[in-house]
Structure formats: structure tokens, C-alpha cells
Amino acid sequence: MKWLKKILKFSIAVIALLIALLYIFDYDYILKGIRVVYLTGHTTAYIEDTVHFDTNTISKGATQNFPLHKKYNSVSATEKLKKCHERLGTIAFLIIKNDSIWYENYAEGYSRNSQTNSFSMAKSLTTALLFKAIDDGYIPNLDTPVKTYFPEIKGAFANQLTVGDLSSMSSGLNWNENYISPFSMTAEAYYNTDIQDLILGLKVEDAPGKSFKYLSGATQLLAMCIKKATNKTLANYLSTSFWQPMGMHSNALWQVDGTKNHMEKAYCCIASNARDFGRFGQLWLHNGAWNQKQLISKELAIKAQTPQFSNGQNYGFGLWLSNYRNKKISYMRGILGQYVICIPEDDLIIVRLGHKRDQPDPNNNSGNDFTTYIDETYQMLQLN
């Protein structure tokens, strides 16, 4: 028994030393990551993790009913689609045709009221807030320098960085977009208590506005500019600008850091339901219009769905792009296969929420899951 006690004491001492070192070297956020992820039986961020974080509420107004198509749920999912859902853990799948819900299915006990994490789909909503801030006169235009709001931004090209560069993923920031290492900037932003301090430590090391490079830190800096320009929390601005006018079904939650300022994690982390995410898809599908009223200018909405760089033909402003099946497609996407796919040519939106996604093809940044959802939807609709 003595040797067992010695091993136990040694183990406790080692753990205590490791914890102390994490605090000394400012990696204490890893402890929260362990508690939120591994101690809950997961190996990475997951769709129900919002309960472990502070949040700001995105308040709804008067609910507008989401029309059901006259052929609502009259067709079953194809066998290929069912197998894809099972393999990747789909929990919600919607097909919205002509602004009506044509097909809707939920799994694993989830329902139309279930709130799950948007992950990077939040980037698209943050860009919508940028456009709204421009329309409202809080921000002059896409060429507005970031230094207008944060003069302390550093780097050789800091004076050239604009809010448009942040939205189009051409920031030149020295952010490391790594989803695996617990020591990465992405992990630190997710679990740390002061996201603004992390972002303001970045530098603009490459010339901005020249080429596409997907960086979550760019969207976070953009959100900080919007918040400073409007003097509103992002959750409040999203509520009054979109959630209420669009008659969303439910309040949503936006994860925030641990500071007293409650800065939203804008590159990720809005908890909402499939129908309300789908409504936002309708806004993009109709180029910023809702019930024939422009919530954001048509010009900016079209710009969001237009490639900006030769090395980024699959991205516009806050939206992923595709020409799959020779159709002009824009879509919001989250890391675990959260999709709101908009195909204006056929007045079609596909919403998919779930636990996993296929790895994207580096040549077009979409995986087999993305094309499967589109192909099988067209087969169910009997469209070309």
C-alpha cells in the first residue's frame, strides 16, 4: 500500500504543477476546455455546449408563422440521404421551397424548438450586421479603416486594414486557424475569458485586401468594430435589426467571453433552431429583402454572394460560394456540418444541423455531405 500512496502523492503533485504552469504561461483556458469537453464525454466542441458558457440573448419579437408547403412532408428522404444522416449524425434537415417548408425532419429527440450551436454560420450573421451598420450610418462603408475603431492595431500593414477586408477574409492578420491543438488561437478564443485582449494582440503582417485566407480572428475583430461603432451589443443589434423584423420563432443565445463587457464570440456560437437559421437563409436568397422590405441593401447582399479574389472563388463576404450543378449557390457553414444552403435559381434553401461533416475537398472547400444534401434534395423534389 505504501507504494500506491507514493504514486498517488506523486500524481497529485504532477497535476498541481501542470495546473500551476498553465496559469503561469496564460494557458489556464485549457482547464475550461477539459471541463467543458472531455469531462462531459466529448473530444471536441459539440452542438449542445452553449450551456457551459455565458451568453447574451437575441430577443425575438412577434413571431411570424413559417408557411408549410402544400406538399409538406409528402415525400420521404432518399435512401442515400438517410444513410448520410445516420453516418454523420444529422439532427435536423429542412427543405424550404418558394419560402415554405417543403420537408422537415428531426432525429435523436431534437425538435423544431431545439437550440444547437451554429459554429461558423455566425460569421455570416456578423457580416449581415456589418452591412446593417453601413446602412444605418454607423460605419461609412466597406473601406472604413479598422484603425478608426482600434488605433492600437499593430503590424506593418495595420493602416491599410478595412472592415471589408475582415468580412471577405483578406485581413492579413497573423491568426493561426488551427482546430486541433489546445494551444492554438482558435482554442484560446473559444475557452478564454477575454477574447478582445487576444485579438488586439494580433498583427497585420500581410497586405490586406489582396487574397483570401479564412481566419476566425478576422470576424472577431470585425465584430469588435461593429460593437464600438454602434455602441450596442451584437446580440441586441442582431435582435432589433433582424431577429424581430423577421419574426423569428424563438429567442437565440450568443456565447460571450467572461469579461464584464460580454463580448460575443462572433466567429461562432449562436444557439438557435433549424427554422430560424432557415429564415436567415431566406434573407440571403432574396438579396437582403424580407417581406419586400430591404433589411440590408440589395447592393451589399449581392456583393456578399460574389467572389472577391481569384484564390477565393468559393467565398464572398461572410458567405461560402459554390457553382455545383452549374447553379449559383451561397451558404452559411459551421464546422460540424451546420449548413444553410441558398439556391436562388430554384427558390430553394436546404438547412442541415448535426454532429459531424465530411472533410471538404481542398479544391472547392465542400465535402461529399454538401453535395449529397443538394443532390438528394433535387431528387426528392424531382428537379433537374
Side-chain angles (χ1 to χ4, degrees), residues 4-21:
L4 185 59
K5 289 181 180 179
K6 288 182 179 180
I7 291 175
L8 183 59
K9 287 181 179 179
F10 177 76
S11 298
I12 292 173
V14 170
I15 292 172
L17 177 60
L18 289 174
I19 292 174
L21 289 173

Side-chain angles (χ1 to χ4, degrees), residues 62-316:
T63 299
Q64 299 173 25
N65 290 328
F66 209 137
L68 301 183
H69 197 280
K70 62 183 180 180
K71 294 185 178 180
Y72 174 74
N73 275 5
S74 61
V75 176
S76 298
T78 66
E79 287 304 312
K80 183 175 180 178
L81 185 58
K82 289 178 183 177
K83 289 179 180 178
C84 184
H85 288 335
E86 183 177 352
R87 178 172 61 86
L88 297 176
T90 297
I91 59 97
F93 193 80
L94 271 66
I95 300 172
I96 302 168
K97 185 77 173 74
N98 299 331
D99 294 326
S100 300
I101 301 176
W102 189 87
Y103 176 86
E104 182 175 35
N105 187 59
Y106 300 92
E108 299 182 21
Y110 292 86
S111 71
R112 67 185 62 170
N113 299 314
S114 298
Q115 291 184 321
T116 57
N117 197 332
S118 69
F119 294 108
S120 287
M121 289 203 300
K123 292 181 172 72
S124 304
L125 276 64
T126 301
T127 281
L129 289 179
L130 168 64
F131 292 169
K132 182 63 175 174
I134 291 172
D135 289 339
D136 288 344
Y138 290 115
I139 295 175
N141 50 52
L142 291 173
D143 295 324
T144 303
V146 171
K147 279 204 169 225
T148 302
Y149 310 105
F150 292 97
E152 63 267 48
I153 287 291
K154 301 175 180 63
F157 299 95
N159 290 334
Q160 300 176 26
L161 181 64
T162 69
V163 292
D165 297 331
L166 297 175
S167 176
S168 62
M169 293 296 176
S170 60
S171 66
L173 289 168
N174 63 334
W175 175 275
N176 180 14
E177 191 78 7
N178 186 312
Y179 299 101
I180 299 175
S181 171
F183 300 100
S184 70
M185 291 179 179
T186 309
E188 185 173 356
Y190 202 79
Y191 298 109
N192 206 348
T193 56
D194 191 342
I195 196 168
Q196 182 160 308
D197 184 63
L198 172 66
I199 297 299
L200 292 180
L202 297 173
K203 294 180 179 180
V204 189
E205 292 189 339
D206 297 316
K210 302 299 183 183
S211 62
F212 169 83
K213 188 176 182 181
Y214 185 85
L215 301 176
S216 292
T219 304
Q220 191 60 46
L221 180 54
L222 173 62
M224 290 159 52
C225 293
I226 297 169
K227 183 176 182 179
K228 181 163 279 193
T230 62
N231 197 29
K232 303 174 188 288
T233 67
L234 266 67
N236 177 261
Y237 198 36
L238 183 62
S239 172
T240 57
S241 299
F242 300 108
W243 229 251
Q244 293 179 22
M246 293 168 67
M248 297 299 195
H249 178 269
S250 302
N251 292 341
L253 299 173
W254 204 332
Q255 288 183 27
V256 297
D257 67 11
T259 64
K260 65 180 181 180
N261 294 321
H262 272 201
M263 182 67 225
E264 288 87 351
K265 293 190 283 189
Y267 68 95
C268 73
C269 310
I270 295 174
S272 187
N273 59 73
R275 285 191 173 193
D276 285 348
F277 284 138
R279 286 178 191 263
F280 223 92
Q282 289 179 284
L283 186 70
W284 293 121
L285 187 84
H286 296 301
N287 291 327
W290 184 263
N291 288 339
Q292 300 180 341
K293 179 182 178 181
Q294 290 294 144
L295 297 188
I296 52 179
S297 73
K298 184 176 181 179
E299 178 186 1
L300 288 173
I302 291 174
K303 197 175 186 70
Q305 299 171 79
T306 304
Q308 298 301 305
F309 304 102
S310 59
N311 76 322
Q313 288 295 312
N314 56 356
Y315 205 83

